[in-house]
Amino acid sequence: MGGIEIKDVRFTYPGQTAPTLCGVDLTVQEGEFLSLIGPSGCGKSTLLRLLAGLERPDSGALLCSGAPVTGPGSDRGVVFQSPALFPWMTALDNVAFAIRKASRTTSKRDARAAAEQSLVRVGLQDQLTALPGQLSGGQQQRVAIARALATGCKTLLLDEPFSALDPKNRFALQELLLSLWEEKHKTVLFVTHDMDEAILLGDRIAFMEPGKIIKRHKVDFPRPRQRETLLISPQCCSLRTELLSLFYKWGEAAEVNP
Ligand code: ADP
């Protein structure tokens, strides 16, 4: 199948005796948007790093679009909390560099044209030649999203990409991500600790406790979703309360946006 399949994945960090992931099972259907939440330290980022091919599991299987994950690949676009741009390269060069790295046969000229198109799509048409240090945090994260999308990936893996941003930028980028997802039909795994973000964006929410996924919730609200009305609806409040109770079970109050 397309999408993401995670089957009984176990993982232990080098030098550790206890496993960080102890039998994770999770499926994300092709084109589905899945929000992954859970208390700090439960292993969400670790799972994403395994899917990105940055770590190898002790056992179990990870598949993206039907292919086993054996290392990093351009079929998966990854966005972390920190945009991790080369500070000496312009926005355009950062994206063009990633395109050329993913496809060595692409000419410099074509890579720059594709990079420009991708940056325009995320609203950075006036910042093509800006260096990362000349961009705001929100703009840098837009470059990271443009870079992830420009390589033509089928799967997007996002690890708290908006958590360092102020609410205005966060809301704007959530909307941008949703419109890109609707337009480009990507499969998305989105790690967050912000329940409202998880509810607003996701088709489903998977809740992780240390080492494994313990609950999966369907988010039935129709799209397009209006933040202002959705987040105060009784159905949303009841889902939020249910999720909060899982966080409190682990002694952690989840972040709820103002
Ligand atoms: P989450 O994303 O849910 O906050 P992480 O996946 O970052 O959790 O971390 C899960 C656990 O693995 C934590 O206990 C963390 O301290 C540990 N951990 C993360 N990275 C490493 C590492 N490089 N070496 C050893 N332990 C790590």
Side-chain angles (χ1 to χ4, degrees):
M1 66 161 248
I4 298 169
E5 284 179 87
I6 303 168
K7 296 180 194 163
D8 197 19
V9 162
R10 289 161 202 273
F11 173 77
T12 311
Y13 278 107
Q16 303 289 315
T17 46
T20 295
L21 303 179
C22 14
V24 174
D25 287 296
L26 184 65
T27 301
V28 187
Q29 300 296 332
E30 188 170 357
E32 187 181 29
F33 195 123
L34 185 124
S35 302
L36 178 62
I37 61 172
S40 298
C42 70
K44 302 182 295 296
S45 297
T46 303
L47 185 59
L48 194 126
R49 287 179 61 79
L50 266 87
L51 281 168
L54 301 172
E55 309 281 359
R56 301 284 301 135
D58 305 342
S59 61
L62 297 128
L63 294 98
C64 279
S65 306
V69 173
T70 53
S74 57
D75 58 319
R76 283 149 286 143
V78 188
V79 183
F80 294 105
Q81 183 179 338
S82 153
L85 304 173
F86 294 119
W88 62 89
M89 283 187 191
T90 65
L92 187 77
D93 287 339
N94 263 285
V95 179
F97 180 82
I99 295 171
R100 294 252 297 158
K101 194 158 168 265
S103 162
R104 302 248 176 235
T105 53
T106 304
S107 69
K108 273 190 183 164
R109 190 193 161 116
D110 286 350
R112 286 176 72 80
E116 178 170 347
Q117 202 179 19
S118 198
L119 285 163
V120 169
R121 179 61 192 87
V122 300
L124 291 180
Q125 53 282 353
D126 297 331
Q127 278 82 28
L128 300 178
T129 56
L131 294 168
Q134 297 169 318
L135 298 172
S136 69
Q139 288 172 326
Q140 289 186 33
Q141 208 52 308
R142 284 176 193 258
V143 178
I145 292 171
R147 180 179 56 188
L149 288 169
T151 53
C153 62
K154 289 186 179 159
T155 306
L156 264 183
L157 306 170
L158 302 117
D159 191 358
E160 306 212 24
F162 311 142
S163 60
L165 305 179
D166 60 75
K168 185 166 170 257
N169 264 306
R170 194 184 325 175
F171 296 167
L173 278 164
Q174 287 167 351
E175 269 165 35
L176 172 67
L177 177 62
L178 269 187
S179 69
L180 288 167
W181 170 68
E182 278 160 12
E183 173 187 316
K184 297 182 184 290
H185 312 292
K186 307 285 181 200
T187 304
V188 177
L189 181 69
F190 186 90
V191 170
T192 180
H193 60 275
D194 176 338
M195 283 190 304
D196 285 353
E197 185 168 70
I199 294 169
L200 191 69
L201 300 182
D203 291 319
R204 279 191 304 142
I205 296 175
F207 189 93
M208 195 166 182
E209 70 173 29
K212 55 174 61 177
I213 309 282
I214 56 155
K215 271 212 175 234
R216 292 158 183 83
H217 287 268
K218 197 150 179 42
V219 185
D220 277 330
F221 309 123
R223 298 181 189 269
R225 296 174 182 166
Q226 294 298 324
R227 170 192 314 280
E228 293 73 18
T229 44
L230 175 71
L231 294 178
I232 55 166
S233 69
Q235 296 87 340
C236 181
C237 291
S238 125
L239 175 55
R240 191 188 291 114
T241 305
E242 198 177 332
L243 295 170
L244 254 181
S245 69
L246 294 170
F247 273 102
Y248 278 120
K249 187 175 157 222
W250 287 98
E252 177 175 339
E255 180 178 326
V256 180
N257 274 326

